[in-house]
Amino acid sequence: MEALLAELRAAVNAELVWSLVQALLILLVGFVLSRIVRSRSAAVLQRLGLETYSGILVVSASWLVLAIAVAAALQHLGFDLSVILGAAGVFSVAIGFASQTSFSNVISGLFLAMERSFSVGDVIKVGTTMGEVLSVDLLSVKLRTFDNLYVRIPNEVLVKGEITNLSRFPIRRADFVLIVPYGEDLDRVRDLLMELAMREPLAMVEPKPVFQILSTSELGVQLQFSVWAARERFLDMKTATQIGIREALDDAGIAHPLPRRVLVHEPPPGTEPTAG
Amino acid sequence: MIEEERVAATGDWWGDFTLEEERSALWRAGTLALRVTRQQSEWRMAWRSEPDEAAPAMTATVPAEDLDDTWELRRYGFSTTTAVGRLVPALSDRTIVSRPAIPVAVPPGQSIDLVVTTPLWLRAECEGLAINELPTLRLSDTWFGASTREGQLCYAARTHLRPARELGEVSGWRALTTVRVINRAADTLVVERLALPVPRLALYRHRDAFWTSTITLERPLESSEEAQVTVDPAPPGPGAVRIGEPRETADEHPVSRVFNSLFG
C-alpha cells in the first residue's frame, strides 16, 4: 500500500514538474516573442510612417504579448483564469482609481498615434506653448521651445485641446496688419506693398500676395497684407517684409498714425481768459 | 599673358583661370558681382547683388583687399592652394516657372517652337572641388502645384516666349531652352505659364550661347489623357558641346505632372 502511495506521489510530482516546465516554456516563448515584437515593430512602424508613435505602440504590443503568455502559462498549470481575472478586476479597479490619469494618458497616446497629427521634428503649438517635438512617449509628448526649454505635455491634454502644427504644409502665409491715416490713397498703398513683395525674393510670387481692408478705427484704416513663403524661410521673409513695409511707407511719406488726444482748456465760468 | 588679356583675347569669361597668391579675380554676370581671392592656404569668395544687369565678363585681377560689409564673404581652407581655379556655368537647382509677358496661343493641330531663357548659375571650383554656386540673377520663390498642400517650390521669372525664328540678342548670362509645343486637342492651348524642369536638363555651348536640352510638350487629343513631356537627349543643334550634366536624373512622370498643371 505504501509502495503504491509512493508511486502515486512520484507520478503526481512528475506530472506537476512536467506541467511547470511546460508553463515555463510557454512563458519563455512569450518573453522571446515579446522581445521580437519590441525589436522588429520599430522597423515596421517606420515603414508605415508611424515612427513618431513607436514608443507607445511598441511598448503596448510587447506587453500584450507578454500578458497573453502569462495567461496561457497559468491556464496550463490549471488555474481558473476567470477567478484570477475576477480578482484582478477588483485589483485593477483599485489600481485604476489610483492611476486614472496615467491610463488616460496611455489611451490618449494611442489616439494620437491613430490621428498622426504631428511627428518628431515638427513644430507645434499647444495652448501658449510652441516648440519642436522631441519625442512622443507613453504618457506625454516632449517639446523643446525656441528659448530652449524642455516642456512635457501629457497626452491627455493634446487629445482634449487644440494642436497647431506649423510644419505640416510646405508653405505658410504671413499676415501684416497696418493702419494708414484717413485720406491716404489706398490704391497707392496697395501698389507700394505689391511692389515690395515683388522685390523681396523670399516672398512668393504665387500664391499671390493679398491686400485687404479689415476695418476702420479711430486711428485710420486697418489693412492686412498677406504674403506667402516657403516654410523653412518663413521667419526670414517675415522679418524682411516687415522692415520693407516700414521703409516703403516712410519713403512714401505715409505716417503710422499715433493715438492723438486734443486737450481743450476752458476757463471756469465767470473768469476772463488770460493772454500768454 | 595676364588673365584679363587672355579673357579679352578669347572672349571666354568662364572656364579655367589662374590667380597668383594675394590677388583677386572679379566677375560680373547679370546682377551678380563675384570676387575670388587666392591666399596661401585658402580661397575666399565674396559676392553681392548689383542694381544693374551686366553682360558676363571677367573684369580684372587686383591685389587682395579688405571688403566692406555690402559683400557676403566665405572662406575655404586648404592645406595649400594652386594657381588654377575654374568658374563654370550651370543651370538652376529648381524648376523655373516662367510667365510670358504676353500669353502665347497655339491653335488646334498646330505646333510651335518657343525659346525660353533662364538665368545661369555660376559654380566656382578650386583644387578640383566645387566650393560654391551662385545665381546670376536672384529669383523670387514661387509655388507650383494644385493646392497649397501639394506642389513644388520653384523660382519665378518673367520671360518673353519667343518663337525660335525670331530669337534676337540674348544676355550671355542666360541659358536658352527650346520648348516644342504640339497641340493635338480640339481647342486652343494658351500658354500662360510654363514650369521648366531645369534641373533635369543638360547644358550645352552652341552658336556662342548657352543652350539646354530641348523639351517637347505634346497635348493629347483627349483631355482626359496626360500630356506627354519628353526631354530630348540629343544636343540642341549640330556642333553643340555638352558642358554641364543634369542635376537630377530623368524621370518622366514628375515632369509630366508639372506640365499637366499648365493646362489647368
Side-chain angles (χ1 to χ4, degrees), chain B residues 50-249:
Chain B
E50 300 286 350
D52 303 318
E53 295 175 1
M58 182 182 180
T59 52
T61 58
V62 294
E65 57 179 314
D66 289 336
L67 298 172
D68 60 41
D69 59 6
T70 59
W71 293 85
E72 202 164 330
L73 188 66
R74 201 169 290 171
R75 298 162 64 180
Y76 304 89
F78 292 91
S79 51
T80 180
T81 58
T82 52
V84 180
R86 202 169 143 74
L87 190 76
V88 285
L91 290 171
S92 159
D93 54 352
R94 287 191 213 152
T95 293
I96 294 182
V97 179
S98 295
R99 267 194 182 277
I102 304 168
V104 178
V106 184
Q110 296 297 308
S111 71
I112 184 170
D113 280 2
L114 298 169
V115 176
V116 186
T117 64
T118 50
L120 287 171
W121 261 235
L122 296 185
R123 181 186 301 142
E125 295 176 4
C126 297
E127 314 306 323
L129 297 169
I131 56 170
N132 202 356
E133 266 192 4
L134 296 162
T136 54
L137 181 70
R138 198 168 175 203
L139 299 173
S140 289
D141 287 349
T142 194
W143 185 249
F144 195 82
S147 71
T148 53
R149 288 177 289 122
E150 287 180 6
Q152 68 176 128
L153 187 61
C154 305
Y155 291 119
R158 285 197 79 78
T159 186
H160 296 282
L161 288 183
R162 284 176 286 199
R165 288 195 206 101
E166 295 170 17
L167 188 64
E169 195 178 336
V170 176
S171 309
W173 46 278
R174 287 179 173 274
L176 297 99
T177 305
T178 304
V179 182
R180 183 160 299 148
V181 184
I182 304 169
N183 184 14
R184 297 199 191 285
D187 56 334
T188 299
L189 166 66
V190 180
V191 182
E192 289 180 336
R193 61 177 182 165
L194 193 64
L196 210 62
V198 182
R200 296 173 195 276
L201 307 179
L203 183 63
Y204 295 86
R205 187 73 176 159
H206 177 50
R207 292 188 307 207
D208 291 333
F210 295 101
W211 288 80
T212 72
S213 322
T214 299
I215 291 177
T216 303
L217 164 64
E218 189 173 340
R219 190 189 186 202
L221 185 61
E222 299 297 328
S223 58
S224 57
E225 289 177 29
E226 281 201 346
Q228 294 294 311
V229 177
T230 45
V231 176
D232 192 348
V241 180
R242 192 168 171 122
I243 58 169
E245 297 303 315
R247 289 178 190 263
E248 295 173 11
T249 51

Side-chain angles (χ1 to χ4, degrees), chain A residues 6-223:
Chain A
E7 212 170 289
L8 196 63
R9 218 175 280 132
V12 168
N13 281 346
E15 198 177 325
L16 186 63
V17 168
W18 178 234
S19 290
L20 273 173
V21 169
Q22 284 179 322
L24 280 173
L25 274 174
I26 290 169
L27 273 180
L28 188 66
V29 168
F31 182 73
V32 170
L33 278 176
S34 142
R35 298 300 295 179
I36 290 172
V37 165
R38 194 177 270 253
S39 61
R40 297 287 168 87
S41 53
V44 175
L45 290 170
Q46 194 168 5
R47 270 203 298 277
L48 295 172
L50 283 166
E51 64 270 25
T52 295
Y53 305 96
S54 60
I56 299 167
L57 297 175
V58 167
V59 171
S60 304
S62 64
W63 280 8
L64 184 68
V65 170
L66 206 57
I68 291 170
V70 170
L74 288 173
Q75 199 169 24
H76 189 77
L77 288 173
F79 286 95
D80 186 355
L81 278 186
S82 61
V83 175
I84 293 171
L85 287 175
V90 174
F91 184 66
S92 62
V93 167
I95 293 285
F97 273 117
S99 54
Q100 197 179 8
T101 311
S102 301
F103 278 118
S104 169
N105 280 322
V106 172
I107 300 299
S108 299
L110 292 174
F111 285 133
L112 282 177
M114 281 191 284
E115 272 193 351
R116 290 199 249 179
S117 302
F118 53 85
S119 315
V120 169
D122 283 359
V123 175
I124 64 168
K125 186 179 176 191
V126 182
T128 55
T129 307
M130 187 191 290
E132 179 195 355
V133 178
L134 296 178
S135 66
V136 181
D137 299 327
L138 204 59
L139 299 176
S140 62
V141 169
K142 314 296 191 307
L143 298 185
R144 185 188 68 82
T145 62
F146 295 123
D147 51 350
N148 212 28
L149 300 178
Y150 180 86
V151 180
R152 174 191 179 277
I153 301 177
N155 290 339
E156 193 185 20
V157 173
L158 292 164
V159 168
K160 280 182 181 168
E162 181 182 293
I163 308 169
T164 308
N165 188 340
L166 284 79
S167 307
R168 173 57 69 92
F169 300 132
I171 57 175
R172 283 183 64 190
R173 197 182 82 172
D175 295 336
F176 303 95
V177 175
L178 51 151
I179 300 173
V180 294
Y182 288 113
E184 198 57 62
D185 183 352
L186 295 181
D187 284 338
R188 178 167 161 254
V189 175
R190 181 181 54 199
D191 292 348
L192 274 173
L193 296 176
M194 289 294 182
E195 208 174 286
L196 168 76
M198 290 295 289
R199 278 202 312 270
E200 172 53 52
L202 299 181
M204 285 193 156
V205 174
E206 287 185 33
K208 289 186 175 69
V210 178
F211 174 90
Q212 56 181 317
I213 296 168
L214 293 182
S215 64
T216 53
S217 68
E218 60 175 6
L219 294 176
V221 183
Q222 194 174 31
L223 310 170

